[in-house]
């Protein structure tokens, strides 16, 4: 999905966007699109992320209580920033989790 900056201002505006299956080929998607961390997001890392992303998709992430009790899936947005960095924006938790690739040289 490609969102405007205005659609990304709050979690309420993000949750209002319907989840649809797109038939748009990956090759025809814009190379970068606007990215804004919602004003009501618990985690704010603008300096790390910048103001654009490669792609954004509706998705579900798994959450659980301490000790992996009562696991469940919750809606969110999977956001690709680069080949080495992606994030998951948790709608119900109102936060953004970031994940990055660890270079092979750091694994040994």
């Amino acid at each position: 999905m490609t969102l405007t900056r205005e659609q990304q201002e709050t979690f309420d505006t993000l949750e209002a966007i319907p989840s649809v299956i797109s038939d748009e080929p990956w090759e025809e998607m814009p190379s970068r699109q606007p990215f804004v961390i919602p004003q009501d997001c618990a985690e704010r890392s603008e300096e790390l992320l910048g103001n654009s992303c490669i792609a954004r998709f509706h998705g579900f992430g798994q959450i659980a209580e301490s000790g992996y009790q009562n696991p469940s899936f919750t809606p969110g947005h999977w956001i690709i920033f680069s080949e080495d960095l992606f994030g998951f924006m948790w709608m119900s938790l109102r936060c953004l989790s970031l994940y990055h690739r660890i270079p092979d040289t750091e694994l040994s």
Side-chain angles (χ1 to χ4, degrees):
M1 78 180 115
T2 303
L3 304 179
T4 65
R5 293 190 181 287
E6 293 76 25
Q7 289 174 302
Q8 301 175 62
E9 288 182 353
T10 68
F11 277 95
D12 288 337
T13 57
L14 287 171
E15 289 177 318
I17 298 165
S19 180
V20 297
I21 296 174
S22 173
D23 58 357
E24 182 179 10
W26 175 260
E27 303 82 29
E28 293 180 17
M29 292 178 70
S31 60
R32 298 217 56 94
Q33 59 178 285
F35 172 76
V36 175
I37 297 176
Q39 299 166 1
D40 49 349
C41 185
E43 302 294 325
R44 301 192 57 82
S45 304
E46 287 97 344
E47 67 282 348
L48 175 65
L49 301 175
N51 60 6
S52 68
C53 62
I54 293 173
R56 187 178 194 134
F57 306 92
H58 284 279
F60 288 89
Q62 190 170 29
I63 58 174
E65 295 174 12
S66 182
Y68 199 69
Q69 298 297 308
N70 302 316
S72 63
F73 286 93
T74 184
H77 290 181
W78 182 50
I79 306 164
I80 302 172
F81 296 100
S82 72
E83 287 185 10
D84 297 321
L85 180 66
F86 74 90
F88 193 82
M89 189 169 289
W90 306 88
M91 295 298 140
S92 63
L93 301 176
R94 301 289 204 246
C95 71
L96 172 64
S97 298
L98 297 175
Y99 305 90
H100 65 91
R101 182 190 319 260
I102 298 173
D104 290 342
T105 56
E106 292 184 28
L107 295 175
S108 37

